[in-house]
Amino acid sequence: MKKTFILSLFTILGFAQNNPNPGYWQQHADYKMDVKMDVKNYQYNGSQELVYTNNSSDTLKKVFYHLYNNAFQPGSEMDMRLQTIADPDKRMVRSFKQGGKEIKESRISTLKPNEIGFLNIKNFKQDGTLAKTKVVGTILEVTLNEPILPKQKTTFTLDFEGQVPLQVRRSGRNSEEGVALSMTQWYPKLAEYDFEGWHADPYIGREFHGVWGNFDVKLTIDKNYTVGGTGYLQNKNEIGHGYEDKGVEVKHSKRTKTLTWHFVAPNVHDFTWAADNEYIHDMILGPNDVELHFLYKNKAENLENWKNLQPKTAELLDFFNKNVGEYPYKQYSVIQGGDGGMEYGMCTLITGNRSFGSLVGVTAHEFAHSWFQFVLASNESKHEWMDEGFTSFISDLAMETVLPGKEKVDNPFEGAYNGYRYLVKSGKEQPLSTHADRYDINMAYGISAYSKGEVFLAQLGYVIGTENLMKTLRRYYADYKLTHPTPNDIKRSAEKVSGANLDWYLVDWTQTTNTIDYAIKEVADADKNTKVTLERIGRMPMPIDLLVVYEDGSNELFYIPNTLMRWEKPNSYSINRTVLKGWDWSSPTFSFDIQKTKTSIKAIVIDPSGLMADVDLTNNVFEKK
């Protein structure tokens, strides 16, 4: 029965090449790992077999692996970045006064030999023959004995030994909340090769990119530790720890010192786990019989929040299924660990000493990543806004449903808009096309990835209509799940759904720092008409919704198409709308007449929805004096 279940999962998830782009291909990597963890010295050793399928039309003479643990050593690139960036991550530095000056010291720079992280590789073989390897920081460079021809497979084997670093960022041991092991990015991980070539980026502290494949992992660890993470536990009735079937009693002999946990994860691009000897493990069934696991420290002050989180997580799963698309796996684990909140395959690691609202909020965000980072696996290093921004968008909507505030919010994305406007005013903005590692400061990266990325979608709803936007998300997910979509793919999804031309929108918003700034320049009365003149001050063109409020309390909406779109947005307002001629981008002003009636104009408002990210709202309203 177990084998049948797993085989069916491989069949269900076996459409990873189902991408509508002509000629699309992606590489494939099947991992088998056998790992032993020593919980006393936090060192582990293992063997890895990787069957690599070259689905490209290229002949590969080299391959590259990520050795993320090596970042947690004094003098590493991550350490140097902490010491040179103007606003280092507060979790990764110690701040103190010295000679009246505030010093920010990299926590990595002071790690002792037994506190650093490392990942050492031995006996690397290609199809049984030793291959030449070279370690450069967090990257293993391998010169192949035999090139991998197009559409061919090869098998890599290696032995590795690692040390879990003291918790500094994401991965590590002995977190501030006392979690023993947060094992993220812990194994030799093959770098991705795609239509752009190799993505062998050093680990500086940002996000990840991986190769789709199947994982078969055996993990031997102290029997008192409960493990949770990626995949399906194959021997749950031997392991116990809350995984056993209902009615099954699992007992371990006193002579037993360790347990070997066997996980299988079909069609994923990462494998993560966490372990602690004080974890409580709860499981509930969510929509579509998805097992929702919760692993958290046995701390009295947090138990109620973690229990109440569980039905809310089921509600979140239902919301994301309906508004994005069905979650394709049958388990998800919310695990206390890490240093904040970070998404991984079939699981998230979050800090747990939080208020209930914060606990639900961080779970909503990290769980949403499963759709936009783990199933829609865009390259986070290059297009971080597609993951963080889209995740923020849908999780903000979800929170309105799952944990609504006391007052109805007109714009659930208002925080993102405010963050974006703050970044523009700071003068520190860089284009969204900037590589995630290469933003000048963390503030610019954070607001760009999260806020400006979220506004991309929210404002797209203004451009093509909210109904079309939500259809676009579902179309995007359906077309590109379990592949590696690019920015052009979300644009094409929106174009196919709406019929609008949107290249101008993608280019201006993501590849430039052009801003939107429209103004009501003049409202002039004549005998029979009132002439309204608008001005485009910012470089980025937009369609315009213009609300006119009359003295008698009536309203009228005017819509000015952006001629670059070759399309008109449907009227989503409950008031009459007049569609005017289009506004060409090359014209800095636009004028039209409003015929005078028995009542006069009281006010005129550009974009009554507030979803257009105009950077200066002071010139968007005319009020009759």
Side-chain angles (χ1 to χ4, degrees), residues 238-249:
E238 300 169 17
I239 293 293
H241 284 270
Y243 287 94
E244 65 272 18
D245 290 326
K246 189 175 182 179
V248 174
E249 184 178 359

Side-chain angles (χ1 to χ4, degrees), residues 518-539:
Y518 282 88
I520 300 172
K521 186 176 184 179
E522 186 178 23
V523 178
D525 282 328
D527 291 339
K528 296 181 179 181
N529 301 307
T530 299
K531 185 176 183 179
V532 178
T533 300
L534 307 181
E535 182 179 15
R536 179 181 57 79
I537 300 170
R539 290 192 181 97

Side-chain angles (χ1 to χ4, degrees), residues 292-303:
L292 297 173
H293 296 266
F294 301 85
L295 296 96
Y296 52 98
K297 296 283 286 188
N298 188 5
K299 301 294 182 184
E301 60 271 24
N302 293 328
L303 297 184

Side-chain angles (χ1 to χ4, degrees), residues 223 233 235-254 256 258-261:
K223 70 176 182 180
L233 184 60
N235 56 341
K236 58 185 179 180
N237 290 333
E238 300 169 17
I239 293 293
H241 284 270
Y243 287 94
E244 65 272 18
D245 290 326
K246 189 175 182 179
V248 174
E249 184 178 359
V250 180
K251 291 185 178 180
H252 300 120
S253 167
K254 291 183 179 180
T256 301
T258 62
L259 295 175
T260 298
W261 301 61

Side-chain angles (χ1 to χ4, degrees), residues 37-44 114 163-164 173:
M37 168 61 74
D38 187 329
V39 298
K40 294 181 180 179
N41 64 10
Y42 304 103
Q43 293 184 356
Y44 56 98
N114 66 335
Q163 179 169 285
V164 188
R173 63 174 174 86

Side-chain angles (χ1 to χ4, degrees), residues 278-445:
E278 292 182 346
Y279 272 153
I280 293 175
H281 175 208
D282 296 330
M283 190 276 283
I284 67 171
L285 278 180
N288 299 332
D289 291 330
V290 173
E291 292 184 359
L292 297 173
H293 296 266
F294 301 85
L295 296 96
Y296 52 98
K297 296 283 286 188
N298 188 5
K299 301 294 182 184
E301 60 271 24
N302 293 328
L303 297 184
E304 182 179 2
N305 284 347
W306 275 87
K307 293 291 185 184
N308 292 336
L309 170 67
Q310 295 169 26
K312 291 297 181 183
T313 305
E315 291 179 42
L316 288 167
L317 174 57
D318 184 59
F319 183 91
F320 297 142
N321 279 346
K322 290 176 179 176
N323 288 280
V324 185
E326 187 173 325
Y327 180 69
Y329 306 103
K330 286 299 181 181
Q331 85 90 3
Y332 187 82
S333 299
V334 182
I335 306 170
Q336 185 174 358
D339 64 340
M342 182 61 192
E343 73 282 357
Y344 299 98
M346 301 191 203
C347 67
T348 182
L349 269 60
I350 61 173
T351 47
N353 299 344
R354 298 169 176 264
S355 67
F356 181 62
S358 177
L359 193 63
V360 175
V362 71
T363 301
H365 183 86
E366 303 307 334
F367 197 5
H369 273 297
S370 285
W371 281 257
F372 289 113
Q373 188 272 340
F374 212 80
V375 180
L376 291 166
S378 52
N379 186 342
E380 293 180 278
S381 295
K382 294 188 66 177
H383 314 299
E384 62 281 355
W385 59 274
M386 294 181 69
D387 171 39
E388 295 296 354
F390 294 8
T391 292
S392 297
F393 172 87
I394 204 67
S395 59
D396 279 350
L397 279 183
M399 287 295 287
E400 287 287 293
T401 299
V402 172
L403 202 67
K406 294 180 180 179
E407 297 180 2
K408 180 66 177 177
V409 178
D410 291 333
N411 182 0
F413 319 112
E414 185 176 358
Y417 281 80
N418 291 339
Y420 165 66
R421 290 186 177 109
Y422 172 82
L423 178 61
V424 170
K425 291 179 181 178
S426 75
K428 303 291 186 180
E429 185 186 10
Q430 295 172 251
L432 288 183
S433 55
T434 303
H435 191 284
D437 288 330
R438 299 188 188 108
Y439 280 84
D440 291 339
I441 55 176
N442 281 321
M443 181 273 286
Y445 162 80

Side-chain angles (χ1 to χ4, degrees), residues 32-221:
K32 284 187 178 180
M33 291 189 284
D34 194 334
V35 183
K36 294 178 173 58
M37 168 61 74
D38 187 329
V39 298
K40 294 181 180 179
N41 64 10
Y42 304 103
Q43 293 184 356
Y44 56 98
N45 60 76
S47 60
Q48 180 187 97
E49 177 186 282
L50 191 157
V51 179
Y52 185 52
T53 305
N54 178 17
N55 289 315
S56 77
S57 59
D58 303 327
T59 297
L60 305 181
K61 298 180 180 180
K62 282 189 173 185
V63 297
F64 301 87
Y65 282 71
H66 296 282
L67 308 177
Y68 292 105
N69 266 9
N70 291 353
F72 301 99
Q73 299 176 11
S76 70
E77 286 195 67
M78 185 185 285
D79 183 26
M80 289 299 100
R81 182 64 166 160
L82 285 171
Q83 295 185 43
T84 56
I85 196 168
D87 59 340
D89 189 322
K90 293 179 181 179
R91 293 167 290 192
M92 302 175 71
V93 296
R94 294 185 183 88
S95 298
F96 54 90
K97 295 283 186 179
Q98 189 175 74
K101 183 180 179 181
E102 184 180 21
I103 302 296
K104 295 178 180 178
E105 180 182 71
S106 163
R107 290 177 57 203
I108 295 177
S109 70
T110 60
L111 290 177
K112 300 173 184 176
N114 66 335
E115 296 174 335
I116 66 170
F118 62 71
L119 199 53
N120 297 329
I121 307 301
K122 297 182 295 183
N123 301 323
F124 190 101
K125 297 178 181 179
Q126 179 190 9
D127 296 325
T129 303
L130 286 171
K132 183 181 178 181
T133 63
K134 176 184 177 183
V135 175
V136 181
T138 59
I139 299 296
L140 176 73
E141 302 178 359
V142 181
T143 301
L144 299 176
N145 297 317
E146 295 291 336
I148 312 173
L149 300 178
K151 316 305 178 186
Q152 298 299 308
K153 295 182 179 181
T154 193
T155 299
F156 301 130
T157 57
L158 58 87
D159 298 319
F160 62 94
E161 58 181 12
Q163 179 169 285
V164 188
L166 192 66
Q167 182 84 50
V168 176
R169 186 71 177 102
R170 292 176 176 152
S171 182
R173 63 174 174 86
N174 302 326
S175 73
E176 288 188 357
E177 295 184 348
V179 175
L181 293 166
S182 297
M183 300 298 290
T184 68
Q185 309 300 329
W186 56 277
Y187 61 95
K189 180 178 178 180
L190 190 68
E192 180 63 295
Y193 181 86
D194 61 18
F195 71 101
E196 295 178 314
W198 284 104
H199 296 278
D201 296 313
Y203 186 32
I204 307 297
R206 296 291 188 217
E207 311 296 354
F208 311 103
H209 193 39
V211 187
W212 288 103
N214 305 307
F215 284 76
D216 187 321
V217 179
K218 291 181 179 178
L219 168 64
T220 302
I221 192 171

